């Protein structure tokens, strides 16, 4: 299913965090969303899976306006893995996956035999069938993520939205999650922190900075040393993956700070430890509020 | 030492950590059937047990007569009055209140996404206490006669909820943490008002009944209390059963709920309304009976798991049985003195709860 985002604007608590974002994902494409912490990746995705309403612009699935649809109808077309991965209560894996059937159920939400069959298949597809009757809170990070992907697959969507799906996972689990996502053959929008993973797995990348798309295209076109210096504040060396030929990056700190405000965003990514939750959660400092960035101390 | 690429993407299921054991869950239909039978039996026992000696055969006889509308000889009128006018409505009310507190306990824990919440965390009970004590201690709303106490409690409970709602509401709607914090703050505020009222009233007996009311008691139960509370509880249980799937989604977080097509903000407003109405109705007739609303949802989850479709089917029945027996004990333990039923629920509940928790490896959603 095609995804067309046009002129999308998102406001949280009166502050505009996403400005005029336009993005295209063709059927079956895996689109990566990259950008430093606070650049608006999560906010943009939240709007796409309807946790936020757009202040302007549209998200269309095969031409149909997502935000004009009934919520359940939208959830039958588009599933998401938000960053929150904690359940309040002791659900089992099977119960978590069964939640994926919710948008397909009427009224009291009684699970039919068909629902159970779909859930079992979704679990098997992510290689977690043996976990069905385990408690979700006791699983490892990688297992949890597989189970949440199974829940999204049980939703039988046409589009999948992933917010940092590889956070807190070891490297094998990261590769496994991306392989699962690829194998789903769904149209996928994923925010990714790891630029090398993004370069290796995505059909196209969109770079967000201060709530705006500043570059887009194939990974090897987008991930230039200039862009990485400007947006991420790092010095990058491009190399080729010896087997896949994908562009891969090696990073260093920039040799010296450029003091022009537009080249030095207030929230340079080194300030946050790798794997820390994306600072997108509470309203991040506005793109123009360069002076006040209390949550992220300037590294230099 | 050349790594082969296929190794990298192969699923690694064998991980060096201790896998959690599969979770055992009781099958639902037999459990619900057993609890229903237990509830009916408990109500009959609740009617039969008490300080005034009425034999079991008489109890059954009077109940049958009351239900079918039969006639009784004149010498039975005293016993009939005890059974039909006092104990039966009281046992029914205990069942209704137990079911209601358990159901909204489940609702409030989903609403604030916190396993430690109970129906009174939103400040409802202490708000109702202010209203009840105004009547008990100062004879407020005297024009309403016998309805003064419950009406005043109900109105003050709803006012307290409205206040909490207004204070906790933000542009994003109701957020769980703000709700809990606001409710807790209000709880202390209203409790302080109640304390001031108790201490400034000079009537000793009134102060005693005010304390009794704060701890919860069914001693004022009679037929007039039953219909409204029963209707509110029945409607709430039905609503929660229909919303059970959405409650599951809400427990995973607002964003997951949104991705599953559930409007978390709207669901929270609905839940808030249901909790307010039932808590107000229940507190108005029985005071603030503690611990049931916290304990029963957890015991239910230990038995049947966290899926709200199962929890809502079991928790009200379990709460009803528990409160019927707690009320019986409160009447007979040191008869003719009546103990506050809230103290009995805690005395009964705490040991059982701790035992279940230790045996079951139940984690309250906390992971380990």
């Amino acid at each position: 299913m095609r995804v067309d985002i046009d002129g999308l604007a998102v406001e949280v608590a009166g502050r505009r965090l996403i400005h005029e974002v336009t993005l295209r994902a063709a059927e079956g494409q895996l689109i990566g969303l990259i950008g430093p912490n606070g650049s608006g990746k999560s906010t943009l995705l939240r709007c796409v899976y309807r946790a936020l309403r757009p202040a302007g612009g549209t998200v269309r699935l095969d031409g149909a306006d997502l935000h004009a649809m009934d919520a359940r109808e939208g959830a039958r077309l588009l599933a998401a893995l938000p960053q929150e991965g904690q359940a309040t209560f002791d659900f089992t894996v099977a119960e978590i996956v069964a939640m994926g059937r919710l948008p397909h159920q009427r009224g009291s939400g009684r699970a039919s035999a068909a629902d159970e069959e779909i859930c079992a298949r979704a679990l098997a597809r992510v290689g977690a069938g043996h976990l069905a009757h385990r408690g979700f809170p006791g699983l490892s990070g990688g297992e949890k993520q597989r189970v949440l992907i199974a829940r999204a697959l049980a939703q039988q969507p046409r589009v999948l939205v992933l917010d940092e799906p590889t956070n807190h996972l070891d490297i094998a689990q990261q590769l496994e999650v991306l392989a699962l996502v690829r194998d789903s053959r769904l149209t996928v929008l994923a925010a990714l922190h790891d630029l090398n993973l993004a370069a290796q797995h995505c059909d196209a990348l969109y770079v967000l900075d201060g709530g705006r798309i500043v570059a887009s295209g194939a990974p090897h076109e987008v991930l230039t040393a200039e862009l990485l210096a400007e947006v991420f504040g790092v010095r990058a060396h491009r190399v080729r993956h010896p087997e896949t030929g994908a562009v891969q990056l090696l990073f260093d700190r920039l040799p010296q700070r450029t003091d022009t405000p537009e080249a030095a965003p207030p929230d340079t990514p080194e300030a946050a430890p790798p794997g820390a939750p994306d600072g997108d959660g509470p309203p991040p400092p506005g793109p123009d509020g360069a002076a006040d960035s209390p949550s992220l101390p300037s590294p230099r | 030492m050349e790594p082969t690429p296929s190794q990298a993407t192969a699923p690694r299921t064998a991980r060096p950590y201790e896998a959690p054991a599969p979770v055992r869950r009781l099958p639902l239909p037999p459990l619900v059937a057993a609890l229903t039978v237990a509830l009916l039996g408990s109500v009959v026992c609740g009617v039969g047990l008490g300080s005034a000696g009425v034999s079991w055969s008489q109890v059954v006889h009077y109940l049958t007569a009351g239900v079918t509308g039969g006639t009784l000889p004149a010498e039975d009128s005293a016993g009939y009055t005890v059974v039909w006018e006092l104990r039966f409505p009281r046992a029914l009310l205990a069942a209704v209140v137990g079911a209601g507190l358990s159901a909204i306990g489940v609702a409030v824990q989903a609403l604030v996404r916190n396993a430690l919440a109970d129906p009174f965390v939103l400040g409802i009970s202490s708000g109702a206490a202010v209203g009840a004590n105004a009547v008990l201690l100062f004879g407020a709303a005297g024009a309403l006669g016998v309805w003064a106490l419950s009406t005043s409690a109900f109105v003050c409970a709803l006012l307290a909820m409205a206040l909490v709602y207004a204070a906790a509401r933000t542009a994003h709607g109701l957020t769980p943490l703000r709700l809990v914090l606001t409710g807790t703050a209000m709880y202390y505020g209203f409790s302080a008002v109640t304390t001031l009222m108790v201490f400034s009233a000079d009537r000793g007996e009134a102060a005693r009944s005010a304390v009794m009311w704060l701890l919860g008691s069914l001693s004022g139960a009679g037929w007039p209390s039953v219909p409204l509370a029963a209707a509110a509880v029945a409607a709430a249980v039905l609503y929660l059963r229909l919303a059970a799937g959405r409650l599951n989604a809400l427990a995973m977080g607002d964003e997951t709920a949104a991705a599953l097509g559930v409007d978390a903000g709207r669901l929270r407003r609905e839940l808030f309304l249901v909790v307010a109405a039932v808590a107000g109705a229940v507190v108005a007739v029985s005071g603030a009976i503690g611990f049931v609303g916290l304990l029963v949802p957890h015991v239910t989850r230990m038995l049947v798991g966290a899926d709200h479709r199962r929890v809502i089917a079991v928790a009200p029945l379990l709460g009803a049985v528990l409160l019927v027996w707690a009320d019986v004990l409160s009447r007979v333990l040191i008869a003719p003195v009546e103990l506050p039923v809230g103290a009995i629920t805690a005395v009964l509940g705490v040991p059982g709860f701790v035992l279940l928790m230790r045996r079951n490896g139940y984690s309250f959603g906390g992971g380990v």
Side-chain angles (χ1 to χ4, degrees), chain B residues 245-269:
Chain B
R246 294 191 292 151
L247 293 181
N248 285 344
L250 192 67
M252 298 300 291
D254 287 16
E255 297 180 358
T256 301
L260 290 169
V262 173
D263 182 341
R266 197 181 124 193
L267 180 56
R268 264 205 196 95
R269 285 195 297 278

Side-chain angles (χ1 to χ4, degrees), chain B residues 162-223:
Chain B
L163 208 59
V164 170
Y165 185 91
R169 205 181 139 71
T170 66
H172 307 284
L174 295 172
T175 58
L177 193 60
R178 283 182 80 99
L179 261 181
V180 174
L181 284 176
T182 314
T184 307
M186 294 289 181
Y187 176 88
Y188 282 107
F190 291 128
S191 296
V193 173
T194 307
T195 309
L196 291 178
M197 287 165 81
V198 170
F199 274 82
S200 59
D202 48 0
R203 293 185 288 164
E205 193 48 39
R208 182 184 157 86
S209 69
V211 169
M212 190 80 171
W213 199 87
L214 276 181
L215 293 169
S217 164
L218 292 157
S219 57
W223 281 115

Side-chain angles (χ1 to χ4, degrees), chain B residues 81-148:
Chain B
T81 304
V82 167
V83 167
W84 188 259
E85 297 296 336
L86 297 175
R87 289 196 197 155
F88 189 45
R90 183 166 176 161
L92 281 185
L93 194 66
V96 165
V97 167
L101 288 176
S102 306
I104 60 172
V106 172
V108 91
Q109 286 177 4
L111 168 64
V112 301
R113 208 185 296 138
N114 189 324
L116 295 176
D118 79 353
F120 303 141
V121 78
L122 300 177
I124 314 158
S125 60
S126 53
V130 171
N133 282 306
V135 173
L136 287 171
L137 300 173
F138 303 108
L144 292 167
V146 292
W147 294 99

Side-chain angles (χ1 to χ4, degrees), chain B residues 16 19 39 58 61 63 106 118 123 128 148 162 197 201 250 270 303 313:
Chain B
L39 177 58
Q58 281 173 305
H61 187 56
L63 282 182
V106 172
D118 79 353
M197 287 165 81
L250 192 67
E270 291 175 12
L303 294 175

Side-chain angles (χ1 to χ4, degrees), chain A residues 91-94 130-139 143, chain B residues 17 19-23:
Chain A
F91 290 103
T92 63
V93 165
H130 61 292
L131 299 176
H133 300 292
R134 295 273 170 76
F136 182 75
L139 300 182
E143 288 172 333
Chain B
Y17 79 102
V23 180

